[in-house]
Amino acid sequence: MPRLLTRITRTGRAARRVVAGLLDTDHPLLVHVIPMRRCNIDCGYCNEYDKVSSPVPLDTMLARIDRLADLRTSVVAFSGGEPMMHPDLDALIRRIRARGMMAGLITNGYFLSPSRIDALNEAGLDYLQISIDNVEPDDVSKKSLRLLDKKLQWLAEHAHFDVNINSVLGGGIRNPEDARTINRRARQLGFSTSIGIIHDGSGRLKPLSSAERAVFEDVSRQINAPRQILKNLYSGIRTFEENLADGRPNEWRCRAGARYFYVDEHGLVHYCSQQRGYPAVPLESYTVDDIRRAFNTPKACAPFCTIGCVHRVSTMDCWRRPQTLDATHNSELVKESPMGSVRLQPDQTSPPKGGHYRDFFTGSQK
């Protein structure tokens, strides 16, 4: 199918999903699924990978995808670790599409090649994102423009799916000017772009320095240009970043656990990657009642949240009723979950770099 026709068809499917999301809040809009925790690189700010895990078996992954379809999920996106290390990734993407959902992939880009991109086209991938952290690799991140530029050229030549290139500030990134260079190169190749403010390895947010702030404002102007927003309306939702850049809280209604949630390699549902351990309910036991409860529950971690996908997905429902469940009541409900506790054993979900979790209800560190 020619690129233009593929894009038109994809836009139509996305529009139908948006309409369905506006009409009904009892289903997820975006779910991130971990098919493999292992990663081929180690970034200093990341607490979402290890070096030893095996890929989740194909049959198990297919069952999880089917369960998400039963929950009427709009978009399923694979993250990691590095999802392209999973040997059955193409089959998983095909299953997502066969069940009527849209398929996304967040990758570090190392495993991309012309033949691999063609295979992703054939499988039916809709969206791909690469976050590039610097121009030259260093001990904080190996996701550098120099190492990945050829991969980006191949994507520009071969990809029939939408590609977004994310640059980052904060989290120990040494040269903020790199974000400007990365954003410029991505636009030259015809990709949509975004910029993220990242937490450090312990999950903490720090205000941007004056140099970082200057780059953030310049790149933001480019991202907010009409042509860029038309390429990727989703990434254009970014007003929440203005406060984060200055270390100020945001007032918003986080719909994690409902409109967005995160399924780890063990098949457990968490509110997001930085709240692993809440509610830690097996996906096969997660119901519409759980979705409704999470939709109506305020989260103590929300004011300083840096998880862009949760902010963006929650924007769909920013105009809806206030969140009414109090933390004490919801805490008791979660403790009665099928897991028997809101916490898992450290060897199941602890960040590999010794990071902590923030208590979902009180905001205290654990």
Side-chain angles (χ1 to χ4, degrees):
M1 185 183 294
R3 280 191 182 188
L4 179 59
L5 183 55
T6 300
R7 183 167 297 169
I8 292 171
T9 303
R10 180 166 53 245
T11 301
R13 289 189 290 118
R16 288 193 294 273
R17 290 294 182 177
V18 169
V19 171
L22 288 170
L23 294 176
D24 179 12
T25 63
D26 287 348
H27 65 95
L29 299 173
L30 171 63
V31 175
H32 280 163
V33 179
I34 308 302
M36 189 167 189
R37 183 62 66 184
R38 190 162 81 241
C39 190
N40 57 307
I41 58 176
D42 56 339
C43 298
Y45 58 82
C46 183
N47 58 20
E48 300 178 47
Y49 75 97
D50 66 29
K51 289 292 187 181
V52 297
S53 295
S54 299
V56 179
L58 175 61
D59 289 346
T60 301
M61 285 298 304
L62 294 176
R64 291 173 187 173
I65 291 168
D66 288 344
R67 178 58 186 154
L68 291 173
D70 292 342
L71 290 171
R72 298 185 295 127
T73 303
S74 296
V75 181
V76 175
F78 293 124
S79 184
E82 174 47 55
M84 289 195 71
M85 293 177 71
H86 196 289
D88 299 306
L89 179 64
D90 295 353
L92 300 178
I93 292 170
R94 283 193 291 269
R95 184 62 152 254
I96 292 170
R97 291 295 309 277
R99 291 303 308 268
M101 299 177 288
M102 304 193 77
L105 177 64
I106 300 172
T107 174
N108 60 39
Y110 270 64
F111 294 99
L112 291 170
S113 65
S115 61
R116 196 69 195 84
I117 295 167
D118 289 341
L120 292 173
N121 289 335
E122 184 66 25
L125 185 67
D126 290 302
Y127 307 108
L128 179 143
Q129 176 167 297
I130 302 175
S131 186
I132 301 180
D133 300 337
N134 46 34
V135 173
E136 294 290 337
D138 57 28
D139 57 359
V140 174
S141 176
K142 305 299 187 292
K143 295 189 295 183
S144 67
L145 183 61
R146 178 171 65 81
L147 297 179
L148 291 171
D149 191 71
K150 190 61 178 178
K151 314 285 188 180
L152 300 186
Q153 294 177 50
W154 288 335
L155 283 169
E157 294 168 6
H158 294 272
H160 291 185
F161 41 85
D162 287 340
V163 176
N164 184 75
I165 304 302
N166 186 64
S167 53
V168 297
L169 293 168
I173 300 301
R174 291 177 178 170
N175 186 2
E177 286 294 329
D178 285 358
R180 203 192 313 260
T181 303
I182 293 161
N183 182 269
R184 184 185 307 116
R185 178 57 173 157
R187 287 186 286 110
Q188 286 174 349
L189 291 169
F191 303 136
S192 65
T193 60
S194 57
I195 188 166
I197 299 170
I198 58 175
H199 53 75
D200 62 19
S202 67
R204 292 171 180 158
L205 171 70
K206 296 178 181 178
L208 297 183
S209 67
S210 57
E212 290 171 327
R213 184 68 160 135
V215 172
F216 174 78
E217 291 176 353
D218 181 41
V219 172
S220 294
R221 281 192 293 270
Q222 302 296 328
I223 294 172
N224 290 338
R227 186 175 179 183
Q228 282 293 306
I229 291 177
L230 285 174
K231 283 184 179 180
N232 192 331
L233 180 60
Y234 173 79
S235 293
I237 301 171
R238 46 185 311 279
T239 54
F240 64 93
E241 292 182 329
E242 291 293 332
N243 283 332
L244 295 178
D246 293 328
R248 297 194 308 265
N250 280 296
E251 248 184 78
W252 62 297
R253 296 169 186 167
C254 173
R255 307 293 185 176
R259 304 299 246 169
Y260 169 90
F261 57 79
Y262 174 101
V263 180
D264 71 12
E265 67 274 33
H266 306 291
L268 301 174
V269 174
H270 309 278
Y271 291 105
C272 69
S273 64
Q274 299 305 300
Q275 290 296 342
R276 301 198 296 279
Y278 299 99
V281 174
L283 177 60
E284 63 266 25
S285 303
Y286 209 68
T287 67
V288 173
D289 286 341
D290 294 307
I291 290 172
R292 290 171 179 164
R293 185 180 303 125
F295 188 91
N296 286 306
T297 302
K299 285 82 174 178
C301 52
F304 291 97
C305 173
T306 64
I307 311 299
C309 53
V310 184
H311 278 275
R312 292 181 175 104
V313 168
S314 296
T315 300
M316 172 79 79
D317 304 296
C318 64
W319 55 277
R320 298 190 194 273
R321 58 190 177 275
Q323 293 171 307
T324 54
L325 287 180
D326 63 75
T328 302
H329 176 62
N330 193 60
S331 177
E332 294 305 312
L333 291 173
V334 174
K335 286 179 181 177
E336 295 171 2
S337 75
M339 289 301 296
S341 170
V342 295
R343 292 219 173 269
L344 304 178
Q345 296 302 311
D347 62 343
Q348 288 182 291
T349 59
S350 289
K353 292 187 177 297
H356 61 267
Y357 299 124
R358 289 188 181 276
D359 187 290
F360 178 71
F361 304 109
T362 68
S364 62
Q365 293 179 10
K366 300 293 184 182

